């Protein structure tokens, strides 16, 4: 490969800014996937496209030291349905969509690692560079696994990372077990007899029932979840009525429930359904409940977490590796890959002043892209030895 193609900080920033200007959301990452494949081929890698529902990409690189183990490195490539509030030159050009979670940076770091390793493949075995679509709530990781990712590209371990706002540049975090929570969503519709607000006795008060339910459901967390376990239930949408003097026939609630333990997750879903049915019966309402279990908890294999931590601790530019940060109640569909193949998922500091993930003012910090490239490169050359 021409040295002029090596992943310099300026080149990484240029790639990242291009991805940021052209965000694409779940399973629509056609331009993104095509650009990733183009860059990988320029680096001389074998490239497979059309994966994960059509937009995912996997590249293959063999080390010059001969056969050996195989590992996968994964980056997510999709954006969010968020209207960007930034006005810098690389701001989104697509109304209502932006890279508000840093997947443009994750993609860039993995591309940079592919270039660096292709230029100097000083390892034994094989690396799969996995560019996964639709991480944001749509389960692209699950789709890739169900399509046979690990059968088509057999690997001994798989690794992922995420930038982390609030964690200083040069710092990282590695968890020995739980990293991110399981993720369930629900849409609940309560329906009854609408009536004039001055005559509530002639109808069924869907508003009162929905308000009571919103409060009652919190008891599942505060009174039925063991204090040593973490869980959160949030109602995030409440749709009802359009007049001052009418109690509406229908109220719709939407929200999410998250925890780490599988048995607790099943228990909370069961009790959620019971609470809804009981309250609806008391208020003489009909219920339509769509409860979906989206992502499992993201759980690191301890031995793989230790290997990642060791690589980070030896990496120039990393000043601190946190081993004791609490896991996040946010979720990540890399969990599906870790259920099918052992591995680990780490956090890389995006800066203490960084806007939060999913915030319209967020931007991936270009200063950490070379660190991410160096981490991926060191992980490969450390794990894939003769």
């Amino acid at each position: 490969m021409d040295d002029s193609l090596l992943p310099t900080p300026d080149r990484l920033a240029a790639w990242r800014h291009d991805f940021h200007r052209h965000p694409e959301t779940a399973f629509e990452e056609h331009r993104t996937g095509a650009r990733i494949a183009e860059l990988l081929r320029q680096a001389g890698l074998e490239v497979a496209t059309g994966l994960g529902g059509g937009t995912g990409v996997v590249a293959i690189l063999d080390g010059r030291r001969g056969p050996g183990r195989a590992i996968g490195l994964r980056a997510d490539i999709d954006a969010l349905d968020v209207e960007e509030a930034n006005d810098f030159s690389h701001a989104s050009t697509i109304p209502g969509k932006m890279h508000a979670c840093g997947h443009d940076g994750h993609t860039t770091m993995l591309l940079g690692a592919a270039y660096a390793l292709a230029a100097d493949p000083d390892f034994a075995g094989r690396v799969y560079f996995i560019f996964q679509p639709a991480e944001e709530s749509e389960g692209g990781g699950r789709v890739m696994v169900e399509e046979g990712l690990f059968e088509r590209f057999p690997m001994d371990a798989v690794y992922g990372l995420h930038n982390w706002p609030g964690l200083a540049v040069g710092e990282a975090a590695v968890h020995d077990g739980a990293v991110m929570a399981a993720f369930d969503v629900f849409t609940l519709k309560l329906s009854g007899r609408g009536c004039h607000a001055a005559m509530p006795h002639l109808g069924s008060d869907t508003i009162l029932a929905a308000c009571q339910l919103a409060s009652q459901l919190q008891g599942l967390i505060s009174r039925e979840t063991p204090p040593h376990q973490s869980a959160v239930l949030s109602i995030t949408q409440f749709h009802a009525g359009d007049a001052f003097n009418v109690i509406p026939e229908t109220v719709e609630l939407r929200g999410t429930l998250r925890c780490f333990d599988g048995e607790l997750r099943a228990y909370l879903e069961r009790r959620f359904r019971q609470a809804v049915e009981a309250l609806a019966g008391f208020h003489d309402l009909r219920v339509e409940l769509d409860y979906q279990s989206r992502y499992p908890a993201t759980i690191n294999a301890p031995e793989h977490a230790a290997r990642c931590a060791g690589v980070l601790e030896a990496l120039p530019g990393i000043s601190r590796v946190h081993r004791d940060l609490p896991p996040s109640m946010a979720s990540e569909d890399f969990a599906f890959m870790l259920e099918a193949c052992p591995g680990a998922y780490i956090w890389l500091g995006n800066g203490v002043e960084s806007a939060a993930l999913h915030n319209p003012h967020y931007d991936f910090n270009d200063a950490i892209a070379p660190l991410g490239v160096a981490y991926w490169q060191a992980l490969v050359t450390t794990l894939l030895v003769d």
Side-chain angles (χ1 to χ4, degrees):
M1 184 176 65
D2 187 341
D3 285 349
S4 66
L5 295 178
L6 287 174
T8 64
D10 287 345
R11 182 163 288 110
L12 293 172
W15 290 344
R16 208 276 295 180
H17 292 179
D18 177 62
F19 290 126
H20 194 94
R21 290 189 194 98
H22 302 94
E24 295 174 303
T25 47
F27 299 118
E28 298 176 353
E29 307 94 336
H30 300 289
R31 180 192 185 278
T32 304
R35 179 61 174 152
I36 290 168
E38 176 188 23
L39 289 169
L40 290 166
R41 291 188 178 110
Q42 287 179 9
L45 277 73
E46 179 184 347
V47 179
T49 59
L51 305 167
T55 54
V57 179
V58 173
I60 304 166
L61 178 65
D62 290 319
R64 63 166 170 248
R65 296 190 185 185
R69 299 170 63 248
I71 63 172
L73 312 179
R74 173 269 199 177
D76 35 19
I77 68 174
D78 57 321
L80 282 155
D81 290 310
V82 173
E83 186 71 37
E84 182 152 13
N86 298 309
D87 59 3
F88 41 56
S89 61
H90 61 275
S92 171
T93 61
I94 310 299
K97 298 181 186 294
M98 74 169 286
H99 273 290
C101 202
H103 298 184
D104 51 342
H106 302 165
T107 299
T108 295
M109 291 188 289
L110 191 55
L111 280 170
Y115 269 63
L117 288 162
D120 184 20
D122 188 24
F123 60 91
R126 172 170 286 186
V127 181
Y128 296 108
F129 302 92
I130 304 165
F131 295 86
Q132 179 219 300
E135 187 279 325
E136 297 291 355
S137 300
E138 299 303 326
R142 173 185 52 78
V143 173
M144 291 193 87
V145 171
E146 291 176 349
E147 286 182 353
L149 173 71
F150 295 113
E151 290 75 29
R152 183 174 176 184
F153 308 101
M155 58 194 79
D156 299 286
V158 65
Y159 300 94
L161 68 76
H162 206 292
N163 78 93
W164 209 249
L167 198 62
V169 172
E171 296 188 5
V174 183
H175 300 77
D176 283 333
V179 188
M180 312 283 273
F183 165 41
D184 296 348
V185 297
F186 55 85
T187 299
L188 169 65
K189 185 180 291 186
L190 299 173
S191 302
R193 300 182 306 280
C195 61
H196 196 290
M199 305 170 218
H201 62 290
L202 299 180
S204 308
D205 196 335
T206 53
I207 297 288
L208 174 62
C211 289
Q212 288 178 343
L213 184 62
S215 177
Q216 180 180 333
L217 287 172
Q218 292 306 320
L220 298 180
I221 309 302
S222 65
R223 287 296 176 268
E224 298 195 32
T225 297
H228 66 279
Q229 292 185 303
S230 296
V232 62
L233 189 157
S234 294
I235 292 177
T236 56
Q237 297 182 45
F238 194 120
H239 304 280
D242 52 16
F244 285 105
N245 60 348
V246 176
I247 296 175
E249 288 188 355
T250 301
V251 172
E252 185 173 282
L253 303 177
R254 297 178 182 175
T256 179
L257 193 152
R258 298 162 186 260
C259 65
F260 296 98
D261 181 81
E263 290 185 6
L264 176 62
R265 185 186 191 188
Y267 172 82
L268 291 175
E269 178 184 350
R270 183 172 68 255
R271 292 290 291 137
F272 182 101
R273 293 178 181 276
Q274 290 172 350
V276 169
E277 291 291 343
L279 184 132
F282 179 80
H283 287 277
D284 193 23
L285 300 174
R286 298 183 304 279
V287 176
E288 295 177 48
L289 175 61
D290 180 17
Y291 191 103
Q292 300 180 19
S293 297
R294 289 287 181 90
Y295 296 177
T298 304
I299 309 292
N300 284 345
E303 63 274 21
H304 291 275
R307 292 168 191 165
C308 293
V311 169
L312 286 162
E313 287 164 353
L315 198 65
I318 297 295
S319 60
R320 183 178 181 186
V321 179
H322 297 267
R323 301 303 311 278
D324 57 354
L325 292 188
S328 172
M329 297 307 295
S331 301
E332 163 62 73
D333 80 343
F334 187 62
F336 291 105
M337 295 190 185
L338 288 180
E339 281 192 330
C341 182
Y345 180 85
I346 67 125
W347 297 343
L348 190 64
N350 198 55
V352 295
E353 300 299 325
S354 171
L357 301 174
H358 294 210
N359 184 293
H361 294 280
Y362 170 85
D363 190 34
F364 179 86
N365 189 341
D366 287 319
I368 74 169
L371 280 176
V373 172
Y375 166 66
W376 284 137
Q377 188 176 12
L379 189 67
V380 169
T381 56
T382 300
L383 298 184
L384 298 185
V385 294
D386 295 334

